[in-house]
Amino acid sequence: MTKRPTLLALFLLLIAGLGFAAPASAERIKDMGQFQGLRANQLTGYGIVVGLAGTGDDSLDYSTLGMKGAMSRFGMTLPAGVNPALKNAAAVMITAELPPFSKPGQRLDITVSAIGKAKSLRGGTLVLAPLYGADGQIYAMAQGNLVIGGLGVDAADGSKLTVNVPSSGRIAGGATVERAVDTGFAYGDQLTFNLHQFDATNAQRVTDAINRAVGPGAATMLDGASISIRAGGSGDDRMRLMSRIENLEVIRAEPPAKVIVNARTGTVVINGAVRVGTAAVTQGKLSVSVKESPTVVQPAPFSRGETTVEQSSEIGVDQEYRPVMMVKPTASLSELVDAINRMGVPPGDLVAILEALSQAGALTAELVII
């Protein structure tokens, strides 16, 4: 007797459950920001690439001076007024990133780019060169054989063929770290976690998640993008605390409504928080065509006239009629996309319509044009 009502109740609960929205997925705190100080440091340097097959830059004084300096390190000094022909060498700039907690002896990938008129660095070898940080100190030494992803060929008649960029290349593990950067994580009683984007709601949710996991009062908001975390003990304790915090999960707040428009390419990106109010939109299409049909007019025989060209132009105007369309208030991104598709407008006209809706106050979103 009670079996059928029980099954009916379960069936009704199942149907009711389908009407609720699925909960938002949680994200790890490490995907929402990073601890202050955990950043890479840029390194730059100047060097000489040798061993090129006649594709260097012998007209650049920097490469000549650099080669003289490199030769002087090996005890070779050129007489005054003698400049070597360096078509097999090129002056280059070297760039690399020093990851946080890098230790002396570790290897870094480097990028090597020609400074002057070197046509190609294919087959070249970078001579030992120092890499400097922003403070002017040497943090790494670079050397090795380049890997070039481009190709450049010149023919005798002046024709050229270039694939990608042969004047730039990389050396995997081409630099050795010589100095470590002090991050300050081994001491102090506070850690600072910075969100990638300013959002007071996300900052509050991250703070609450840390306090629930670590203890009440362990984390406090400094502002909408930074959170101060109480930390102490040895470096091992601090790193364990960082690892624990990074893997906590937080439900990210819905981002502010934005419409991003790339004016150069006509690309329009609309996020899910955008809403549109009631508005009437019409979009016309005006086409103007100009057709030139010049004709040659010949003079009569023995008239001593001159042959002339008579211009004949035909101008046409075609205006396509499109009725006014009512845009109803939308509650989701899919409804907004359906409304845009029904209008059948190209991306360029869509940008103008979005700007007009924003000016009319019917677009509840920030319009960003890049």
Side-chain angles (χ1 to χ4, degrees):
M1 297 294 293
T2 61
K3 186 175 183 180
R4 175 172 293 182
T6 303
L7 292 177
L8 180 60
L10 292 176
F11 181 70
L12 293 175
L13 287 175
L14 178 61
I15 294 178
L18 293 176
F20 294 97
S25 59
E27 297 185 19
R28 297 175 302 176
I29 289 181
K30 66 164 59 177
D31 298 325
M32 302 175 63
Q34 64 180 14
F35 285 95
Q36 184 170 302
L38 290 180
R39 65 178 184 88
N41 293 273
Q42 288 70 36
L43 303 180
T44 56
Y46 167 83
I48 298 293
V49 172
V50 298
L52 304 178
T55 58
D57 46 9
D58 57 347
S59 62
L60 189 63
D61 291 338
Y62 288 115
S63 60
T64 303
L65 294 174
M67 182 55 67
K68 286 183 178 180
M71 295 175 65
S72 65
R73 292 201 299 265
F74 299 102
M76 300 175 62
T77 304
L78 294 177
V82 176
N83 290 329
L86 298 178
K87 295 200 69 173
N88 292 341
V92 296
M93 289 298 296
I94 310 165
T95 58
E97 282 194 353
L98 183 67
F101 303 110
S102 294
K103 300 299 185 293
Q106 293 181 336
R107 310 290 296 186
L108 304 176
D109 296 341
I110 61 175
T111 300
V112 180
S113 305
I115 299 177
K117 297 181 178 180
K119 299 177 181 179
S120 175
L121 300 180
R122 180 176 292 275
T125 300
L126 177 66
V127 181
L128 185 66
L131 299 182
Y132 297 87
D135 56 358
Q137 301 294 325
I138 296 177
Y139 284 89
M141 298 296 294
Q143 181 173 281
N145 299 322
L146 274 76
V147 176
I148 306 298
L151 174 66
V153 179
D154 295 347
D157 62 353
S159 58
K160 298 180 180 180
L161 174 63
T162 303
V163 179
N164 295 332
V165 184
S167 58
S168 179
R170 289 180 61 84
I171 304 178
T176 304
V177 178
E178 302 294 334
R179 182 197 299 265
V181 177
D182 186 10
T183 59
F185 279 95
Y187 46 85
D189 56 356
Q190 295 290 328
L191 294 174
T192 302
F193 185 82
N194 298 321
L195 298 176
H196 291 317
Q197 295 179 340
F198 174 88
D199 193 303
T201 304
N202 285 331
Q204 179 184 1
R205 293 183 180 183
V206 170
T207 303
D208 294 341
I210 295 174
N211 287 331
R212 287 194 299 268
V214 180
T220 56
M221 285 193 300
L222 300 179
D223 49 45
S226 299
I227 299 152
S228 177
I229 304 168
R230 184 175 67 244
S234 62
D236 179 77
D237 296 333
R238 297 165 65 86
M239 295 305 297
R240 289 181 182 274
L241 176 61
M242 290 172 54
S243 175
R244 183 180 179 185
I245 292 174
E246 283 183 341
N247 291 281
L248 296 177
E249 293 187 346
V250 174
I251 298 177
R252 184 188 291 268
E254 187 177 8
K258 285 188 178 182
V259 177
I260 311 298
V261 177
N262 190 322
R264 297 181 297 274
T265 63
T267 304
V268 180
V269 178
I270 305 172
N271 70 358
V274 175
R275 302 291 183 268
V276 176
T278 304
V281 179
T282 180
Q283 185 265 340
K285 183 177 181 182
L286 181 66
S287 300
V288 180
S289 61
V290 179
K291 182 180 180 180
E292 300 288 351
S293 302
T295 58
V296 179
V297 179
Q298 297 286 353
F302 307 106
S303 63
R304 296 183 180 182
E306 296 181 355
T307 302
T308 61
V309 177
E310 182 177 342
Q311 299 292 338
S312 177
S313 302
E314 181 181 353
I315 300 177
V317 178
D318 181 19
Q319 185 172 8
E320 180 181 350
Y321 170 74
R322 293 186 178 181
V324 178
M325 181 176 180
M326 177 66 71
V327 179
K328 298 181 180 180
T330 61
S332 65
L333 178 61
S334 61
E335 294 178 0
L336 176 59
V337 172
D338 291 340
I340 293 173
N341 290 335
R342 288 196 303 269
M343 296 176 66
V345 296
D349 295 340
L350 175 60
V351 174
I353 291 174
L354 291 174
E355 289 179 343
L357 288 174
S358 178
Q359 292 294 327
L363 182 67
T364 57
E366 179 185 359
L367 188 62
V368 181
I369 300 179
I370 60 176

